[in-house]
Amino acid sequence: MHAPDPEARPARGRRLTRLAAVAAGVILLAAIGAALAWGAIFRNLPNAERLATYQPPLPTQVRAATGEPLFSFARERRIFLPYEEIPKVVIDAFLSAEDKTFFSHGGLDFPGIATAIVTNIRGLFSGQSRPVGASTITQQVAKNLLLSNEVTLTRKIREAVLARRIESILTKEQILELYLNEIFFGRNAYGVEAAARTWFGKSASDLAPHEAAFLASLPKAPSAFDPRRNYARALERRNWVLSEMVANGKLPAQQLAALQARPIAVAEESRAAANVAPYGSFFMEEVRRQLIERFGETAEDGPNSLYAGGLWVRTTIDPEIQKAAEAALRDGLVRYDRVRGWRGPAATIALGEGWQKRLRALNLPVGYDSWRAAVILARQPGGFRLGFGDGSTGTLYAGDAMMARGGIPAYQQLKPGDVVPVAPTGAGSYALRQIPLISGALVVQEAHTGRVLAMVGGFDSRGSSFNRATQAQRQPGSTFKPFVYAAALDNGMTPASLVSDGTFCVYQSARLGRKCFRNFGGGSAGLQTMRWGLEQSRNLMTVRIASQTGMDKVVKTARELGIGDYQPVLAIALGAGETTPMKLVNAYSILVNGGKEITPVLFDLVQDREGKPIFQADRRRCDDCRAAWKGQAMPRPVDTRRQVIDARTAFQVVHMLEGVVERGTATRLNNLGVPIMGKTGTTTGPKDVWFVGGTPQIVAGLYMGFDQPQNLGGWVQGGNVAVPIWRNFYTAVWSESERTPTPFIAPAGIRMVRIDRRSGRRVFGTWPSDAPKAAVIWEAFKPETEPRRIVSAPAPTRATPKKVVRTIRTDRDFLAQQGGLY
């Protein structure tokens, strides 16, 4: 034997040392890699505990003042159902389709994961592009609410970790409640309740087993299993879910064949599903704007946001009044437009394959529910064959297309491919209509509260979302004059003050020279009372009154009433400053409300998703309103609203505006049987026509004009165009039997005195009559401002015993003889 080499032992030791160092390095690198992987996977991992207080985004539900559901502001259509209210058949269907062992696993389905791993390994060699997952419902909740949809191993690991954490925080019922209220079903429906209503037009509680199975088949791929696109695939998937329900003991086996034979009959998407308000679209848009301003738009803006907060909003809109306002304004716009003749088709599309889709895409703003957008498919004997967006057809006879352009009737100019609005005239027959170019707005407000009962901002919001009621800055013309008179009454003048209706000129500047004003119809009438000047809308009297009062006081009154902030120039007195219909209607409401401040209110109450009030429009204090009733007098809220103008001045203006209706420029309203005040307006051109007025209960105002102002025609005035629209609106809402002749209430300090209507002199010995143009009328005065001159009573027409007539020279004499104030 050879003896061991003493030098070999140190060499072997060095090799072992090097191997140990390499191994240590590998272990260190592995540890570093593991740490980096752990950090990549678990860095910024969401906190699963927040799911315990998670609130899904819910739409804002809007109701009319009557409580009628009206609209839903939603980007995700969702109706939250607590677990206790989710039907068992729905739960059974989803567990059978998605997670059979949900109530027994701890968040992860390990046998399913093993199967998925084997399937994915096989997929690597078979060219399978997308890996197969084995997600439980808990994992889907983690992914949907806490993670993204990226398809990576890292996301799956994070999802698994979160699923385990969720199971330790929430009960199975809470997890399932989150899942069934969060998942997407197509048609913009999220959650089983919204899905049931969207797909079947019924609540989830009314679903049959085959319908629940269909919903359970959708979350995997809603568009792929949409029966409208791929009926066979949708039916196969639904029937698979039904068979799984039978296999899991959720349905009797003997029912399977019958259930699988049932067709998938889904509901058509309704107006509500399309998120279109049945009426009041301009009103709804203004509500949307105000809610966003107050509460925010998305969940990032706060818990009560418009599109995620689940708010319940009670608006002030009155359905009957809103519909009447829409119809009256549209009718007026169409009436005016027809006089100007036919302008040609609204659009032209290509016929052939897909014409229905192209027609629907136009979304023609036809305004009326009865009008339809139609395309001329072909000319036929006596007229045309029409096609509609739903594929149906109809007939347009030549006699129903007589509107002319350039003297040539429309039926001679229409051709295939032309798109026109039509209105039904009988079974399958239609008449040609035209969308008016002219537009306008109508606003109706409760006079003493500011609640907006109706708002129409144009012919149809589909044509333009521009809300002319709140956004259109227009010159009010003569509807501004009452506020000139209000400023004058606040500064020493009375309704009986005499003002010259004569030439009035002012020197403007060296460049502009001398400006002379004129009345609308020309001419002058000499000395007249202020009342007569307002009733007849005399420009010369108005500018003279404004000049005597001071334009600084006039514009201050306009500013206080919220009409606008103007320069103190005389043209403003004739309505040359711009304002919106909403502001002008609100100012008239302040007059009716005794000069007290009013703010337009579009919603009375807003509640959060739990039903807690978070906004109330009426903030008046009422200490006893919640007290038990024990026969005491009705409690009254404390009215702390600011007094904008003198209550007596406000009543004097209202009283004069009644004269505008009785014998002035709005006499088309004087036979309605109720006290009505109001004022017409016609701007230079004329480019706009107005009427704003109302009763002691409501104030309504409207204007008509082109969005790009142009001449309406020399015959157009507020009295003959705007007033008839107002009348049609009013009579549509309040029938003759419903009209209550409640007078405008005079405030304390007003003295009702008999005067001669034309001269303004005080009258004794005779009484006013109900005749609109009676010589003697009651006039409203502030104390010590009534006229002192006396007009003798007319001589008796037949012999009567002589009466002793005492000359009344002071208020004391008047009170002693008459026994009170009138």
Side-chain angles (χ1 to χ4, degrees), residues 58 70 75 110 116 151 176 179 202 254 305 319 337 371 431 475 544 624 633 661 714 750 756:
L58 293 179
L70 180 58
R75 288 179 178 156
F110 291 106
V151 183
L176 199 53
Y179 174 74
K202 61 175 71 173
Q254 59 269 28
S305 64
D337 189 73
W371 286 19
Q475 292 184 352
R544 185 169 268 107
D624 299 325
V661 174
I750 280 291
D756 178 75

Side-chain angles (χ1 to χ4, degrees), residues 334-345 371 396-414 420-423 431-436:
V334 169
R335 248 189 335 264
Y336 172 85
D337 189 73
R338 285 185 69 89
V339 174
R340 298 171 73 94
W342 191 56
R343 293 188 306 277
W371 286 19
L396 171 64
Y397 292 107
D400 292 323
M402 296 298 292
M403 285 191 289
R405 178 174 61 172
I408 303 174
Y411 73 83
Q412 295 183 18
Q413 304 183 53
L414 288 170
V420 293
V422 295
L432 181 66
R433 293 291 183 261
Q434 180 168 259
I435 300 168

Side-chain angles (χ1 to χ4, degrees), residues 430-501:
Y430 296 84
L432 181 66
R433 293 291 183 261
Q434 180 168 259
I435 300 168
L437 283 180
I438 192 171
S439 196
L442 196 162
V443 178
V444 186
Q445 187 176 33
E446 210 168 60
H448 298 287
T449 65
R451 299 173 73 248
V452 179
L453 306 178
M455 177 186 291
V456 190
F459 183 76
D460 190 325
S461 61
R462 287 173 295 179
S464 169
S465 60
F466 182 67
N467 188 346
R468 295 156 189 85
T470 58
Q471 295 176 295
Q473 296 287 337
R474 314 293 290 206
Q475 292 184 352
S478 294
T479 54
F480 184 80
K481 289 177 181 176
F483 308 104
V484 176
Y485 283 68
L489 293 169
D490 262 342
N491 287 276
M493 299 185 79
T494 77
S497 296
L498 295 175
V499 180
S500 172
D501 182 47

Side-chain angles (χ1 to χ4, degrees), residues 249 273 279 362 372 435 518 528 552 565 625 631 671 681 685 719 732 814:
Y279 53 84
L362 287 176
R372 302 179 69 182
I435 300 168
R518 61 183 296 274
Q528 301 290 340
D552 56 331
D565 195 358
C625 284
N671 62 348
F814 174 74

Side-chain angles (χ1 to χ4, degrees), residues 96-113:
S96 297
E98 296 290 333
D99 194 348
K100 302 176 182 62
T101 60
F102 172 73
F103 279 102
S104 60
H105 64 61
L108 300 176
D109 179 10
F110 291 106
I113 292 173

Side-chain angles (χ1 to χ4, degrees), residues 279-346:
Y279 53 84
S281 54
F282 288 104
F283 188 103
M284 286 301 102
E285 176 57 25
E286 185 63 18
V287 168
R288 187 190 76 90
R289 188 191 65 77
Q290 292 191 17
L291 287 173
I292 288 176
E293 185 177 334
R294 185 174 292 274
F295 299 110
E297 185 172 0
T298 62
E300 289 73 22
D301 298 321
N304 298 317
S305 64
L306 177 70
Y307 288 107
L311 305 180
W312 289 82
V313 181
R314 188 183 71 203
T315 67
T316 59
I317 191 172
D318 184 298
E320 184 180 359
I321 295 176
Q322 176 68 36
K323 292 172 186 176
E326 290 179 357
L329 183 64
R330 283 174 181 157
D331 289 349
L333 298 175
V334 169
R335 248 189 335 264
Y336 172 85
D337 189 73
R338 285 185 69 89
V339 174
R340 298 171 73 94
W342 191 56
R343 293 188 306 277

Side-chain angles (χ1 to χ4, degrees), residues 530-574:
M530 271 183 61
R531 166 179 283 279
W532 185 88
L534 185 56
E535 290 177 354
Q536 303 302 319
S537 197
R538 305 296 283 187
N539 291 347
L540 292 174
M541 292 180 68
T542 302
V543 294
R544 185 169 268 107
I545 290 168
S547 179
Q548 292 174 5
T549 302
M551 277 305 299
D552 56 331
K553 297 182 177 66
V554 172
V555 297
K556 179 183 178 184
T557 299
R559 185 168 56 251
E560 289 290 320
L561 288 162
I563 301 170
D565 195 358
Y566 306 121
Q567 293 297 314
V569 294
L570 282 174
I572 295 297
L574 299 180

